[in-house]
Amino acid sequence: RLGLVDGDPVRVVSPHGQARFMAAADDGLPPDVVQADHGWWFPERPGPDHGWRESCANLLYGHDHFDPDSGAEPLKCGLCRIERVLAHEGDEGVATR
């Protein structure tokens, strides 16, 4: 739908935050499913945070809903949309909460 190809920069936006990733098609997933790795950082960037707030799927989830018995958060599903990152957009402020 968005005309993305592998390697295109994209922003995943949820009701709780956003994060930037590189697009990668996966024919094994339905077209309305997004998969994103959690806990990402850039070891080549200066610490102590190494840029983790730019590309971390954990930022896409809120902390409003917990399982009453285990305290676990629903990290396996959530609503989101994909946006193309335009060439003129910088790296600043990519991930928010």
Side-chain angles (χ1 to χ4, degrees):
R1 293 180 204 168
L2 297 176
L4 298 169
V5 297
D6 286 356
D8 281 351
V10 296
R11 182 180 303 109
V12 179
V13 181
S14 79
H16 304 284
Q18 61 182 344
R20 185 188 285 188
F21 301 94
M22 303 303 275
D26 185 336
D27 293 334
L29 293 175
D32 61 346
V33 171
V34 173
Q35 186 276 326
D37 293 331
H38 77 286
W40 189 256
W41 67 92
F42 301 93
E44 71 277 8
R45 294 203 184 161
D49 66 347
H50 299 283
W52 73 268
R53 288 187 179 267
E54 294 177 38
S55 184
C56 182
N58 295 354
L59 296 170
L60 301 173
Y61 297 95
H63 299 290
D64 304 331
H65 305 287
F66 296 89
D67 179 274
D69 295 321
S70 70
E73 295 181 84
L75 299 178
K76 303 265 186 215
C77 63
L79 297 174
C80 70
R81 73 175 180 272
I82 306 300
E83 299 176 349
R84 178 186 297 274
V85 173
L86 303 175
H88 70 275
E89 293 183 68
D91 291 335
E92 297 79 29
V94 173
T96 62
R97 186 162 230 179

